[in-house]
Amino acid sequence: MAEATPPSTGQRLKGYLDAVLVADVFVVIAGAIWFGVAVVCHSRGIEGPLNLFQSLWEPLFTPAIGLLMGAAILSGILGWALKWWRAREQR
């Protein structure tokens, strides 16, 4: 039997980063759902969910959205750079 090689530090770091980004996506989705429910509750005179959402906006949801947007932009830039580099090597 062949022994499996342990993952490199880079592979482990990428795995951790992927896990953080997946959790971040779920935080953003949960925040969007919570906001929708809070707006419906607000229209019916129930203020608690919207007040709690507003208190968590700056410390939780703003960084989560920023991280998600930054990861998407970085992924696009790295994908473009890799494609450009491979095309350059084929010349």
Side-chain angles (χ1 to χ4, degrees):
M1 281 194 199
E3 290 185 33
T5 59
S8 69
T9 304
Q11 289 172 332
R12 282 195 309 257
L13 182 61
K14 183 182 180 319
Y16 293 141
L17 183 59
D18 288 345
V20 167
L21 290 174
V22 166
D24 185 55
V25 166
F26 284 111
V27 167
V28 171
I29 290 170
I33 292 169
W34 185 357
F35 179 70
V37 169
V39 168
V40 170
C41 289
H42 175 72
S43 71
R44 296 179 186 258
I46 304 168
E47 302 297 330
L50 188 57
N51 290 338
L52 186 56
F53 179 84
Q54 288 174 334
S55 70
L56 292 175
W57 176 252
E58 278 297 319
L60 179 63
F61 295 118
T62 301
I65 293 169
L67 178 64
L68 194 61
M69 291 172 60
I73 291 169
L74 184 61
S75 174
I77 290 170
L78 291 176
W80 173 83
L82 184 60
K83 182 178 175 183
W84 175 81
W85 189 260
R86 286 182 180 163
R88 185 173 175 235
E89 286 179 344
Q90 290 178 355
R91 288 185 205 167

